Amino acid sequence: MTIDPSAFERYRHSPNARTTLPRLLLGTGIVVLFWAATTVAVLVGGTYAFIAWQATPSSGIQGFLASPLGILTALVSFAGIWIGLWVAMRWVHGEKLSALLGNSRRVSWPGFLKGLIAVLITSFISEVLLYLLQPQITRGPISLSSWLLFAIPIAALTLLQTSSEELLFRGYLLRGLANRFTSPVIWALLPALLFTSLHWSASSSPAINACVLASIAAFALLLTLVVYATGNLGAALGAHLGNNLTGFLLISHQESYNSFALFNAKPLEGPGWATSDAVLIAFIGIACSLLTIVLLLHPRSPLRVAAELPDRTSTA
């Protein structure tokens, strides 16, 4: 299974002369600033409205974040990344935001759909294996009617979250660094490490944190590979959405994000996990990411994604 680099070579050479390392650092700082400002604004505003509505000031921001409204608000905060990227691309680099999407400057929707389907398949396999490891699954508190009511808004806000992360880590940073450096140790590894580090949880044990970070790193590798193979963010966007939708709407493994899930598994941040459990969890996560890579990149796979080549929009 080999990958033709032609599409990615076109993508990495698409930035203009204003994509220098200092400007890339400045643009990243702008994105972080807008993300932080948006997060503070929506959390403070949401907490104030939550306290006023509940009439229980003692619950504070922690009570708000644990509520369904808090989860929705947290997802809205990712709009700050979109705003920051627009500002950075427009005023720092003199490019349109659409340049980050791929060689065609638009999302490859066939790639998006294939990435979504592939991850939903491997997520199902992952959940089966995790159930065999720890068969502690309970029905979530949300009713089926409420779940159906919130499914579309949650899916839309999850797309906002995942697309902003992909645009930043697999678009802005990967494309900009690849334009300045030839070594994938820099343009692939640095964004992947930043992306992975954001998933550290202070409430989890060191062993669970290690297994989660290993799984996230493998997933970041998958997302980077499909961008490398296609020269487009479409498949990565679909894959990331499928992964997060599984956790938000179907089976949650995080106590702080289980308000809308139909089922709740034993929370990873909770007690009772042995080191051997963490090793197996990491193995399951890495194996499922590798299986997703096979589904999306193997020549005989019906879900194989297409590359955006210079002489035409895509090729099978």
Side-chain angles (χ1 to χ4, degrees), residues 6 8 17 22 53 57 74-75 85 100 103 113 123 152 158 180 183 198-199 205 216 222 258 265 303 306:
S6 301
F8 184 73
W53 179 51
L75 293 174
L85 285 171
L100 299 179
N103 294 325
L113 184 60
S123 291
I152 293 179
T158 303
R180 308 305 304 175
S183 173
L198 293 177
H199 294 81
S205 67
I216 295 297
L222 150 69
N258 63 6
L303 295 177

Side-chain angles (χ1 to χ4, degrees), residues 40-57:
V40 170
V42 298
L43 289 184
V44 171
T47 301
Y48 178 81
F50 176 75
I51 292 175
W53 179 51
Q54 294 288 330
T56 54

Side-chain angles (χ1 to χ4, degrees), residues 171-205:
Y172 184 74
L173 290 176
L174 189 149
R175 174 178 178 260
L177 289 173
N179 181 255
R180 308 305 304 175
F181 302 97
T182 58
S183 173
V185 173
I186 297 177
W187 58 257
L189 189 59
L190 285 182
L193 288 176
L194 287 173
F195 175 75
T196 301
S197 66
L198 293 177
H199 294 81
W200 173 270
S201 174
S203 59
S204 299
S205 67

Side-chain angles (χ1 to χ4, degrees), residues 8-285:
F8 184 73
E9 288 299 315
R10 185 186 179 200
Y11 181 59
R12 76 187 297 175
H13 290 109
S14 62
N16 59 28
R18 294 173 65 179
T19 303
T20 62
L21 187 58
R23 287 177 179 268
L24 194 63
L25 293 173
L26 174 60
T28 302
I30 290 173
V31 173
V32 172
L33 179 63
F34 273 93
W35 187 10
T38 305
T39 300
V40 170
V42 298
L43 289 184
V44 171
T47 301
Y48 178 81
F50 176 75
I51 292 175
W53 179 51
Q54 294 288 330
T56 54
S58 60
S59 62
I61 192 169
Q62 294 301 324
F64 169 67
L65 290 174
S67 68
L69 179 60
I71 295 176
L72 295 175
T73 303
L75 293 174
V76 169
S77 69
F78 284 87
I81 297 180
W82 273 94
I83 299 171
L85 285 171
W86 182 86
V87 172
M89 290 295 289
R90 176 65 179 85
W91 299 105
V92 178
H93 302 287
E95 291 189 273
K96 292 184 178 180
L97 183 62
S98 60
L100 299 179
L101 297 176
N103 294 325
S104 63
R105 299 194 169 223
R106 61 179 181 270
V107 173
S108 169
W109 293 111
F112 178 91
L113 184 60
K114 290 178 180 179
L116 177 64
I117 293 173
V119 167
L120 289 178
I121 292 172
T122 54
S123 291
F124 173 77
I125 296 173
S126 173
E127 292 302 334
V128 171
L129 295 175
L130 289 173
Y131 176 79
L132 295 175
L133 174 65
Q134 177 53 256
Q136 182 180 323
I137 295 181
T138 60
R139 180 67 169 82
I142 190 170
S143 65
L144 182 59
S145 58
S146 297
W147 184 84
L148 292 172
L149 178 65
F150 281 103
I152 293 179
I154 285 292
L157 289 176
T158 303
L159 179 60
L160 171 66
Q161 177 223 351
T162 55
S163 62
S164 67
E165 292 180 346
E166 288 309 303
L167 214 62
L168 174 59
F169 293 105
R170 254 68 62 182
Y172 184 74
L173 290 176
L174 189 149
R175 174 178 178 260
L177 289 173
N179 181 255
R180 308 305 304 175
F181 302 97
T182 58
S183 173
V185 173
I186 297 177
W187 58 257
L189 189 59
L190 285 182
L193 288 176
L194 287 173
F195 175 75
T196 301
S197 66
L198 293 177
H199 294 81
W200 173 270
S201 174
S203 59
S204 299
S205 67
I208 290 297
N209 258 318
C211 84
V212 169
L213 293 181
S215 299
I216 295 297
F219 190 63
L221 170 64
L222 150 69
L223 298 173
T224 302
L225 275 177
V226 293
V227 174
Y228 180 79
T230 63
N232 191 279
L233 296 186
L237 287 168
H240 200 163
L241 177 64
N243 180 78
N244 287 25
L245 278 182
T246 302
F248 281 134
L249 288 176
L250 299 178
I251 302 179
S252 174
H253 294 268
Q254 292 179 282
E255 196 169 14
S256 54
Y257 291 100
N258 63 6
S259 296
F260 297 102
L262 282 175
F263 300 96
N264 293 330
K266 181 179 178 179
L268 291 173
E269 65 267 32
W273 292 102
T275 302
S276 58
D277 294 330
V279 172
L280 289 173
I281 292 172
F283 176 79
I284 291 171

